[in-house]
Amino acid sequence: MANHKSAIKRIRQNKTRALHNKYYAKTMRNAVRKLRALTDKEEAIKLYPSVQKMLDKLAKTNIIHKNKASNLKSKLSLHISKLG
């Protein structure tokens, strides 16, 4: 266990941040899953900008890697274009 006050505080902060990051990462995964499950092109086109914005924000705050966000956006746009 940590002996310094600053180390104890750092442990508390890390737990809080991990919980915060986990919430937003899970929300993002659910949004991506929801978009992939759509079969209607109109609905998918309406939902895509909000998912794209979410991915960009998470990449900007280093919750996910910028390349992962880019790959997800690319795959989702390809999925939408393939919808009939």
Side-chain angles (χ1 to χ4, degrees):
M1 184 60 199
N3 292 326
H4 297 285
K5 273 188 175 183
S6 61
I8 293 168
K9 181 178 178 181
R10 178 64 62 198
I11 290 169
R12 280 198 319 266
Q13 286 176 330
N14 287 340
K15 281 183 186 175
T16 307
R17 288 202 179 101
L19 192 64
H20 177 267
N21 292 344
K22 191 188 294 185
Y23 168 77
Y24 283 105
K26 183 67 174 175
T27 305
M28 177 268 302
R29 284 197 304 271
N30 286 337
V32 169
R33 204 173 287 135
K34 184 179 177 183
L35 184 60
R36 281 194 180 129
L38 290 176
T39 54
D40 183 31
K41 191 168 188 166
E42 292 297 319
E43 282 184 51
I45 290 171
K46 284 182 187 174
L47 185 63
Y48 182 68
S50 63
V51 174
Q52 186 177 10
K53 184 178 177 182
M54 187 184 303
L55 288 168
D56 287 336
K57 277 187 177 180
L58 293 178
K60 186 173 129 186
T61 56
N62 290 322
I63 294 173
I64 61 172
H65 196 274
K66 63 179 181 138
N67 292 351
K68 180 182 177 75
S70 181
N71 286 334
L72 283 170
K73 289 191 294 185
S74 172
K75 287 175 184 172
L76 289 172
S77 64
L78 185 67
H79 170 73
I80 291 171
S81 68
K82 285 183 180 179
L83 290 176

